[in-house]
């Protein structure tokens, strides 16, 4: 019956780029008391094992490890490995620096880390990986399927983890393997063959593990020795194969022969697999072969089967009852914030590096690229690593950032230097930046200007269109004035820095820098900056005769006070507060005819597992398991609402309790509210872990439906207590409705649309109609038994005194008439990801006389269309540049902006002569046309005819105009005439 069954044996090792040990400890094999694992051994022993038998095959995935190993090899070994790759015995699969997470990652980071790995493989081996291999991430995103799958030229995508209820149903229907169409905008043009493994990414039963000391019975085939067991082992093999064939379409099945850090002595696996293949094929009931996922994919394709279709994504993931992996959407929120901050910085730094000209000898962005790539790993930004490993990721990011900061400073020195105004002897200007500006620490801006020098603030805008934004910097006293690049005085406003901030500042500045700040600034100085696209403007701050505008009507409203309501807001948007209850009550935008009642509160979930029996599921780094429903955090009635008003910003300060402080801001000319929260240290003195959420309540009739983004890109409809692919059995009414958010979440009814955007990756949901909640911080006391073996209890220590981690973050909200929210979500979403970059220096005399004060990298009058962004502008060396353009809107998202748009390359590179433009795959490792030619076409079961998919046409080499259709990202390698 199964005589035609082919068992594809795929030898592999799953090598986490950091988890229980750091990436370098895993590579060299140190710190083995935690876990015996050494990737160097795997790669060292693999090569002779493959050479010993030409039939053997192996796949290798994580380039962060492979590159470490490759750099150490002799020319002879490198040549040998190139032969093995060429012959197909060794195949690179996935090919990114790491196997990135899919919930907590931003699409730009996913692209960058994949590109880094793919270009290395192309350069060294001349090959392009064909297969996506996301075998361990905890749930799978639509963006992974269509963008990091189909658009990088992969022919298939394999993964190990899907919801236990989904898996059970798919086994019954033989639908573990599907054609996944992850994008509404692209439909079948970006579909990919996808397979979920029957159980996990390990061998089929506990009987097939062959590491040196593993317990599985080996094949004892020497009849002169005792325990001869060939028939038994062949029977085990055939039984496992038939069992898997019963849930799989076609006569091909794949066995993942390996697991975490296996093949440290590769021969032990291959010796057994050689024997299995020999004796199983001799037996003849099934056919066994050494294979790779690409050989398996080709076999599936040749079978001419019509496959079931899959749309949307595979979130959230539960591996058992009460085991929802939705806690990691928020775990380690400070690390998640740091990753997102450095990601936006890396984008801007590469632009500035390109304008100056990249050099490998002077400071550059390479080490930041590497650190960011590793940080996308599914145990890094996900927050599911041990604490010492989280520290290691942060340290790498910090080292990379510091190096990139020097490159940025050098670029500013180069770009501000006026060609016609220097005699070549002027010293290089030293620009300072302020990475700790979020905690109001910025030595550059805190001088008292008593020496008569000006503070020069260079403000860089990484976006492709002109923008106006409010800059806030700490200053030592009130006697300051701000002038623009023409020397004209401009409006500014001073805001007192609250004690909570100063406390945070001194504690964390000491924690990060080892020294306490010597002075405390008194005020935030706020002013509005107007900055050209991919360019900078210059502003001067200097000593004034009298004080600048101090936020005048500083009012305090105590709960129970007489004054009933008050409003804040400088333009169309007004927020109404109740003075009596000291809380937000209404949102009004008269221009947009929006008026909604609104309330915003904090609450916490007590974590399950702090008083439970042994077999229960605790909340931990991975799992969110609340003990019952949420508990409101009541506003401390004794502390007043403090309001500051001025010409640039209105602020409402609320000290919710001793460990939550919140500021709500409304800026001149903006129609959204910004909320900045300081949460922590979360108290655990009652022995209970807590997960803190902020909730915004409106009266929108959202009928169980809300929308969250996929990796900052496409929005996916979510329905409470419902899954499109199976009948959901609800056992966790809160955790089972949490989804990852990287850009935002929104709800709508027939009239209005309520959107919330975030500054980092978080988990969130709409647990009640009209309500949106974001989990902003979590501190837990138990491990959740998924392998990390550590409670998520982050602390920060200053001279031997440790306190729970405090998180400072922002979110932004806005209400629009229904159908009009996408424009703000998309365009302002870009501004959150790419904030203005500030650099400071001092000047005596008139800076503008001898320096360039405004600059744009684009043609002087040109800006990108509102619906397009430059997501990569990077010097590749040898006169080439990597350019990626992204359309920001999906089809049907906005009446005016979900349309084809075009970009004029001649105006993007106004000062250069373009020689040649080559369109490439998303990871820039092959020509796009070549990739499309090789693409496998899959048949889909009962697929309905879809509207014609729109894509931008080829680029005319004369006109050099790039068209972009909704959601399209196009990648170009551009060569300039010297």
């Amino acid at each position: 019956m199964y005589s035609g069954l082919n068992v594809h044996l795929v030898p592999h090792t799953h090598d986490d780029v950091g988890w229980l040990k750091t990436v370098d400890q895993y590579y060299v094999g140190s710190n083995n008391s935690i876990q015996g694992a050494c990737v160097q051994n795997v790669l060292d022993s693999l090569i002779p094992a493959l050479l010993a038998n030409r039939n053997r095959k192996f796949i290798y995935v994580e380039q962060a490890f492979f590159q470490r190993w490759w750099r150490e090899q002799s020319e002879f070994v490198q040549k040998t490995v190139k032969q093995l790759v060429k012959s197909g015995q060794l195949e690179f699969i996935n090919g990114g620096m790491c196997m990135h997470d899919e919930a907590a990652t931003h699409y730009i980071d996913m692209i960058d880390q994949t590109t880094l790995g793919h270009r290395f493989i192309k350069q060294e081996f001349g090959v392009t990986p064909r297969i996506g291999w996301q075998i361990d991430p905890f749930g799978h995103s639509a963006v992974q399927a269509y963008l990091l799958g189909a658009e990088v030229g992969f022919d298939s995508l394999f993964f190990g983890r899907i919801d236990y209820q989904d898996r059970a149903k798919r086994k019954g229907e033989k639908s573990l393997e599907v054609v996944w169409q992850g994008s509404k905008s692209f439909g079948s043009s970006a579909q990919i063959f996808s397979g979920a493994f029957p159980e996990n990414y390990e061998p089929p039963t506990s009987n097939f593990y062959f590491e040196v000391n593993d317990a599985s019975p080996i094949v004892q085939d020497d009849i002169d020795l005792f325990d001869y067991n060939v028939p038994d082992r062949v029977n085990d093999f055939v039984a496992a194969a038939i069992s898997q064939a019963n849930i799989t379409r076609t006569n091909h099945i794949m066995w993942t022969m390996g697991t975490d850090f296996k093949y440290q002595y590769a021969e032990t696996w291959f010796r057994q697999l050689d024997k299995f293949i020999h004796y199983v094929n001799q037996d003849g009931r099934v056919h066994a072969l050494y294979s790779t996922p690409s050989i398996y994919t080709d076999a599936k394709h040749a079978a001419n089967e019509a496959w079931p279709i899959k749309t949307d994504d595979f979130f959230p993931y539960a591996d058992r009852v009460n085991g929802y992996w939705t806690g990691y959407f928020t775990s380690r929120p400070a690390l998640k914030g740091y990753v997102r901050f450095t990601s936006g910085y890396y984008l801007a730094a590469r632009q500035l590096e390109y304008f100056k000209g990249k050099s490998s000898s002077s400071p550059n962005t390479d080490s930041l690229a590497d650190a960011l790539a590793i940080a996308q790993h599914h145990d890094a930004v996900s927050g599911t690593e041990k604490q010492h490993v989280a520290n290691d990721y942060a340290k790498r990011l910090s080292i990379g950032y510091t190096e990139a900061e020097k490159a940025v400073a050098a670029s500013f020195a180069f770009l501000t230097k006026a060609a016609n105004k220097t005699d070549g002897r002027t010293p290089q200007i030293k620009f300072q930046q302020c990475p700790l500006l979020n905690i109001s620490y910025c030595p550059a801006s805190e001088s008292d200007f008593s020496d008569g020098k000006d503070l020069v603030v260079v403000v860089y805008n990484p976006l492709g269109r002109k923008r106006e934004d409010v800059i806030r910097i700490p200053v030592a006293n009130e006697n300051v004035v701000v002038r623009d690049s023409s020397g004209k005085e401009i409006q500014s406003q001073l805001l007192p820095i609250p004690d909570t901030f100063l406390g945070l500042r001194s504690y964390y500045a000491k924690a990060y820098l080892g020294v306490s700040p010597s002075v405390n600034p008194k005020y935030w100085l706020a002013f509005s900056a107007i900055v050209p696209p991919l360019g900078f403007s210059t502003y001067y701050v200097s000593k004034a005769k009298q004080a600048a505008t101090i936020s005048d009507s500083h009012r305090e409203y105590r709960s129970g006070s007489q004054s009933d309501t008050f409003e804040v807001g400088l333009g169309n948007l007004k927020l109404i507060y109740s003075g009596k209850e000291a809380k937000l009550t209404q949102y009004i935008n008269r221009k947009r005819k929006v008026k909604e009642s609104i309330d915003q509160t904090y609450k916490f979930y007590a974590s399950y597992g702090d008083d439970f029996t042994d077999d229960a599921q605790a909340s931990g780094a991975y799992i969110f398991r609340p003990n019952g429903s949420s508990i409101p955090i009541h506003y401390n009635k004794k502390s007043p609402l403090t309001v500051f008003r001025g010409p640039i910003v209105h602020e409402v300060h609320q000290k919710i309790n001793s460990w939550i402080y919140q500021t709500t801001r409304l800026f001149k000319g903006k129609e959204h509210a910004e909320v900045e929260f300081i949460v922590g240290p979360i108290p655990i003195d009652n022995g209970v872990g807590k997960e803190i959420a902020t909730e915004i309540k409106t009266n929108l009739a959202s009928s169980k439906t809300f929308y969250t983004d996929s990796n900052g890109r496409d929005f996916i409809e979510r329905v409470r207590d419902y899954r499109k692919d199976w009948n959901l059995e609800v056992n966790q009414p809160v955790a089972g409705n949490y989804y990852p958010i990287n850009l935002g979440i929104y709800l709508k009814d027939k009239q209005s649309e309520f959107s919330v955007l975030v500054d980092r990756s978080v988990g969130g949901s709409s647990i009640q109609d009209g309500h949106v909640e974001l989990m902003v911080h979590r501190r837990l006391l138990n491990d959740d038994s998924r392998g990390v073996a550590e409670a998520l209890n982050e602390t920060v220590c200053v001279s031997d005194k440790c306190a729970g981690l405090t998180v400072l973050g922002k979110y932004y909200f806005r209400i629009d008439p229904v159908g009009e929210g996408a424009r703000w979500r998309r365009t302002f979403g870009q501004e959150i990801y790419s904030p203005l970059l500030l650099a400071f220096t001092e000047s005596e005399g008139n800076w503008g006389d001898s320096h360039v004060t405004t600059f744009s990298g684009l043609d002087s009058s040109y800006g990108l269309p509102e619906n397009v962004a430059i997501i990569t502008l990077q010097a590749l060396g040898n006169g080439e540049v990597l350019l990626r353009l992204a359309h920001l809107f999906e089809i049907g998202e906005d009446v005016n902006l979900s349309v084809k748009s075009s970009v004029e390359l001649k105006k993007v590179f106004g000062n250069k002569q373009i020689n040649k433009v080559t369109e490439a795959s998303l990871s820039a490792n092959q020509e796009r046309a070549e990739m499309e030619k090789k693409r496998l076409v899959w048949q889909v079961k009962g697929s309905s005819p879809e509207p014609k998919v729109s894509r931008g046409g080829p680029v005319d080499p004369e006109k050099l105009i790039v068209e972009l259709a909704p959601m399209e990202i196009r990648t170009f390698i551009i060569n300039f005439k010297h």
Side-chain angles (χ1 to χ4, degrees):
M1 164 186 171
Y2 286 99
S3 57
L5 180 62
N6 298 286
V7 184
H8 293 252
L9 301 177
V10 176
H12 81 107
T13 178
H14 175 67
D15 297 343
D16 288 304
V17 183
W19 177 39
L20 308 180
K21 309 202 293 192
T22 68
V23 55
D24 287 350
Q25 289 169 354
Y26 273 134
Y27 177 66
V28 299
S30 59
N31 211 349
N32 277 343
S33 61
I34 294 181
Q35 184 184 13
C38 172
V39 177
Q40 206 170 1
N41 286 348
V42 175
L43 291 164
D44 278 348
S45 68
L46 175 66
I47 306 311
L50 291 176
L51 291 171
N53 176 347
R54 286 220 306 266
N55 296 318
R56 292 175 177 178
K57 291 188 174 0
F58 194 83
I59 62 169
Y60 198 75
V61 179
E62 297 84 3
Q63 295 305 303
F65 287 128
F66 185 82
Q67 289 182 16
R68 278 166 169 72
W69 181 79
W70 185 249
R71 290 194 291 265
E72 299 177 345
Q73 301 312 306
S74 67
E75 202 177 327
F76 174 73
V77 172
Q78 287 193 350
K79 211 169 142 183
T80 309
V81 174
K82 285 180 176 173
Q83 282 307 122
L84 291 170
V85 170
K86 197 174 173 187
S87 71
Q89 272 192 271
L90 174 61
E91 188 177 339
F92 293 114
I93 298 280
N94 222 30
M97 296 299 283
C98 65
M99 184 184 294
H100 53 221
D101 187 52
E102 297 181 42
T105 42
H106 190 273
Y107 74 97
I108 293 180
D109 289 326
M110 296 164 91
I111 294 170
D112 282 340
Q113 84 87 12
T114 303
T115 300
L116 211 53
H118 280 194
R119 285 183 63 84
F120 164 82
I121 293 170
K122 182 66 181 253
Q123 207 177 316
E124 292 291 332
F125 300 94
V127 295
T128 54
R130 287 185 52 198
I131 309 293
W133 190 253
Q134 291 287 110
I135 61 176
D136 194 26
F138 329 127
H140 303 282
S141 76
V143 157
Q144 177 63 35
Y146 89 83
L147 194 63
L148 278 303
E151 294 287 300
V152 294
F154 286 167
D155 285 322
S156 59
L157 166 64
F158 295 99
F159 40 88
R161 298 181 185 274
I162 62 171
D163 188 281
Y164 71 101
Q165 295 179 23
D166 194 11
R167 194 189 303 268
K169 176 169 185 258
R170 288 182 182 280
K171 282 181 175 175
E173 295 174 349
K174 293 193 176 185
S175 62
L176 284 167
E177 293 177 321
V178 295
V179 168
W180 186 356
Q181 297 182 355
S183 159
K184 295 191 283 291
S185 301
F186 293 134
S188 63
S189 79
Q191 68 186 19
I192 189 165
F193 177 77
S194 306
F197 302 142
E199 298 304 329
N200 50 35
Y201 55 82
E202 308 202 1
T205 70
S206 60
N207 259 343
F208 296 95
Y209 287 76
F210 303 111
E211 203 67 11
V212 171
N213 291 321
D214 281 346
S216 299
I218 56 129
V219 180
Q220 206 299 77
D221 59 347
D222 184 340
I223 46 176
D224 294 337
L225 304 179
F226 283 10
D227 305 327
Y228 179 83
N229 66 357
V230 170
D232 293 347
R233 293 272 50 203
V234 168
N235 287 339
D236 291 343
F237 190 102
V238 172
I242 288 172
S243 151
Q244 187 167 331
N246 285 333
I247 55 171
T248 311
R249 290 169 201 243
T250 80
N251 60 342
H252 294 275
I253 62 170
M254 172 161 61
W255 282 7
T256 46
M257 298 308 292
T259 177
D260 297 20
F261 300 100
K262 297 303 179 198
Y263 290 76
Q264 305 218 14
Y265 174 47
E267 187 60 33
T268 60
W269 283 84
F270 284 118
R271 188 186 301 141
Q272 301 308 316
L273 294 177
D274 286 349
K275 291 181 183 185
F276 271 115
I277 289 170
H278 176 74
Y279 292 113
V280 165
N281 291 343
Q282 205 173 53
D283 171 87
R285 281 174 288 171
V286 302
H287 175 238
L289 68 156
Y290 276 120
S291 187
T292 68
S294 49
I295 294 170
Y296 177 75
T297 299
D298 287 339
K300 287 286 177 174
H301 184 255
N304 242 337
E305 176 87 14
W307 299 92
I309 191 165
K310 161 73 185 162
T311 56
D312 297 342
D313 64 5
F314 288 94
F315 284 118
Y317 161 63
D319 58 352
R320 60 186 85 149
V321 175
N322 301 325
Y324 278 92
W325 298 47
T326 56
Y328 85 97
F329 300 162
T330 295
S331 294
R332 303 196 186 278
L335 179 66
K336 283 178 163 66
Y338 194 39
V339 167
R340 185 62 51 86
F341 160 76
T342 46
S343 172
Y345 189 86
Y346 175 52
L347 180 136
R350 280 179 290 174
Q351 295 175 356
L352 286 160
E353 182 172 57
Y354 156 73
F355 292 134
K356 175 179 181 286
K358 184 176 176 176
S359 136
S360 51
S361 56
S362 51
N364 59 48
T365 56
D366 292 349
S367 71
L368 180 55
D370 198 63
L372 259 173
I374 288 172
Q376 308 312 315
H377 167 59
H378 59 268
D379 292 303
V381 67
S382 57
T384 55
E385 64 282 82
K386 282 191 181 288
Q387 184 61 52
H388 79 106
V389 180
N391 297 344
D392 186 73
Y393 291 125
K395 180 179 182 175
R396 286 170 191 280
L397 286 169
S398 173
I399 292 167
Y401 169 83
T402 305
E403 177 89 354
E405 200 180 49
K406 290 177 186 149
V408 164
S411 293
F412 280 137
F414 170 79
L415 293 169
T416 54
K417 195 167 72 189
N420 58 341
K421 297 172 184 169
T422 55
D423 55 5
R425 285 197 304 273
T426 45
Q428 169 103 344
I429 307 140
K430 293 274 186 282
F431 278 100
Q432 280 181 280
Q433 291 158 70
C434 292
L436 298 184
L437 194 58
N438 65 330
I439 55 168
S440 71
Y441 180 71
C442 182
S445 69
E446 292 167 22
S447 73
D448 62 2
F449 306 114
S450 56
D451 53 8
K453 286 183 181 169
D454 283 358
L455 174 69
V456 179
V457 186
V458 175
V459 183
Y460 180 73
N461 169 23
L463 298 187
R465 48 179 200 278
K466 181 175 157 182
R467 88 199 247 197
E468 181 169 0
D469 234 334
V470 173
I471 305 286
R472 292 155 47 88
I473 53 175
V475 292
N477 60 43
E478 59 274 20
N479 297 326
V480 289
V481 61
V482 182
R483 302 191 314 283
D484 66 15
S485 50
S486 68
K488 193 166 118 289
E489 189 175 326
I490 61 165
Q491 200 169 50
S492 61
Q493 177 184 347
L494 290 167
L495 296 131
I497 299 179
D499 289 346
T500 304
F501 251 99
L502 293 173
L504 197 66
R505 167 194 156 94
S506 60
Y507 192 82
Y508 277 85
K510 176 124 198 229
Y512 291 136
L513 307 170
V515 289
S516 294
S518 48
V519 290
N520 263 341
K522 278 195 184 156
Y523 299 99
W524 284 107
L525 170 66
F527 62 92
S528 196
I530 299 169
V531 198
L534 264 70
F536 61 77
S537 298
T538 308
Y539 291 87
Y540 310 107
V541 181
S542 50
K543 195 172 173 148
K545 308 271 188 295
Q546 80 275 356
T549 315
I550 297 181
S551 306
D552 38 10
S553 56
H554 161 192
R555 296 271 315 262
E556 294 190 348
Y557 297 88
R558 286 177 194 279
S559 136
S561 67
Q562 300 327 236
S563 61
D564 199 26
T565 62
F566 64 91
E567 72 168 38
V568 291
L570 298 101
N572 297 320
L573 173 58
K574 302 277 186 259
L575 293 182
I576 313 296
Y577 285 80
S578 154
K580 211 183 227 116
E581 295 174 71
K583 68 172 197 176
L584 176 62
T585 60
Q586 221 173 24
Y587 179 110
I588 300 174
N589 186 327
R590 291 191 182 85
K591 181 182 157 208
R592 295 186 184 274
K593 302 191 173 54
V594 169
K595 186 174 185 177
E596 283 293 336
S597 65
I598 188 166
D599 181 20
Q600 185 259 335
T601 55
Y602 287 85
K603 59 183 189 178
F604 73 91
Y605 294 96
S607 305
Y608 200 89
D610 294 313
D611 55 354
F612 65 99
T613 53
D614 288 345
D615 61 341
Q617 175 60 59
S619 222
Y622 303 87
I623 308 286
F624 172 30
R625 187 183 183 192
N627 190 355
S629 46
S630 61
I631 298 158
I633 294 174
H634 293 296
Y635 178 59
N636 176 0
K637 293 285 184 346
K638 289 198 183 69
S639 25
L641 280 188
T642 310
V643 183
F644 298 113
R645 293 186 174 89
I648 288 171
V649 60
H650 286 186
E651 289 191 345
V652 180
H653 290 248
Q654 295 167 275
K655 191 173 164 81
I656 311 287
N657 62 17
S658 63
W659 50 277
I660 301 179
Y661 188 94
Q662 170 176 294
T663 311
T664 305
R665 300 190 181 97
L666 297 182
F667 294 100
K668 183 180 101 182
K670 305 278 181 195
E671 298 192 17
H672 65 264
E674 169 184 301
V675 179
E676 184 169 50
F677 56 84
I678 300 172
V679 174
I682 298 172
I684 47 168
D685 37 16
N686 64 348
V688 177
K690 297 172 189 64
E691 320 195 35
I692 314 303
T694 180
E695 185 169 36
I696 311 175
K697 306 168 186 173
T698 70
N699 289 335
L700 265 69
S702 52
S703 56
K704 290 189 171 178
T705 306
F706 55 104
Y707 302 82
T708 63
D709 67 273
S710 178
N711 303 112
R713 203 80 183 122
D714 310 59
F715 276 92
I716 296 184
E717 180 179 275
R718 312 295 189 185
V719 179
R720 199 158 56 247
D721 293 338
Y722 171 82
R723 301 289 187 270
K724 198 151 84 178
D725 292 346
W726 77 94
N727 286 329
L728 177 68
E729 197 178 303
V730 178
N731 51 60
Q732 282 294 315
V734 176
N737 286 306
Y738 255 65
Y739 289 89
I741 301 169
N742 281 286
L743 168 60
I745 174 172
Y746 71 93
L747 341 147
K748 58 186 186 181
D749 63 11
K750 292 195 165 57
Q751 279 75 47
S752 314
E753 199 164 321
F754 169 49
S755 312
V756 182
L757 301 185
V758 298
D759 70 342
R760 71 195 66 193
S761 181
V762 299
S765 188
S766 172
I767 301 294
Q768 268 178 278
D769 283 0
H771 295 199
V772 163
E773 68 177 67
L774 302 174
M775 188 189 289
V776 294
H777 198 0
R778 44 203 317 254
R779 188 179 188 189
L780 310 170
L781 302 175
N782 289 82
D783 176 57
D784 54 9
S785 333
R786 291 304 183 281
V788 76
E790 208 174 80
L792 183 71
N793 180 5
E794 298 177 277
T795 57
V796 175
C797 304
V798 172
S799 39
D800 302 335
K801 276 174 58 182
C802 298
L805 174 73
T806 296
V807 171
L808 182 149
K810 289 180 181 174
Y811 63 89
Y812 311 81
F813 66 87
R814 169 167 162 148
I815 303 174
D816 285 286
V818 71
E820 293 176 26
R823 181 178 181 182
W824 177 69
R825 289 193 295 270
R826 294 299 185 185
T827 54
F828 186 66
Q830 286 299 113
E831 296 180 28
I832 299 171
Y833 176 77
S834 280
L836 293 173
L837 194 158
L838 308 181
F840 305 91
T841 188
E842 285 190 333
S843 157
E844 293 185 74
N846 196 342
W847 170 266
D849 286 351
S850 54
H851 295 91
V852 176
T853 57
T854 57
F855 162 83
S856 172
L858 309 186
D859 230 23
S860 57
S861 56
Y862 190 64
L864 290 192
E866 192 179 357
N867 51 7
V868 174
I870 291 178
I871 60 167
T872 312
L873 176 60
Q874 180 178 347
L876 295 175
N878 59 26
E880 288 189 330
V881 65
L882 178 62
L883 173 75
R884 282 196 192 88
L885 297 167
H887 196 300
L888 297 172
F889 289 76
E890 295 179 66
I891 53 167
E893 227 183 350
D894 184 277
V895 175
N896 304 312
L897 295 167
S898 293
V899 294
K900 258 196 189 151
S901 208
S902 55
V903 172
E904 299 180 50
L905 293 184
K906 285 179 182 171
K907 292 191 172 168
V908 172
F909 300 103
N911 56 348
K912 296 220 161 122
Q913 286 289 108
I914 294 176
N915 191 25
K916 185 167 178 239
V917 174
T918 309
E919 183 160 11
S921 63
L922 185 70
S923 59
N925 66 346
Q926 54 187 319
E927 290 196 19
R928 173 100 201 181
E930 186 189 337
M931 172 188 109
E932 291 295 356
K933 260 206 312 268
K934 295 187 298 199
R935 195 188 284 288
L936 300 181
V937 179
W938 298 87
Q939 299 175 42
V940 178
K941 259 201 156 74
S943 57
S944 48
E946 52 179 359
K948 190 179 174 315
V949 170
S950 164
R951 296 245 186 195
V955 178
D956 179 311
E958 293 304 308
K959 295 195 179 115
L960 295 176
I961 291 176
V962 177
E963 279 189 319
L964 293 125
M967 273 291 107
E968 194 168 22
I969 296 179
R970 297 183 70 176
T971 304
F972 299 96
I973 291 171
I974 296 175
N975 184 285
F976 297 112
K977 292 181 181 146
H978 285 301

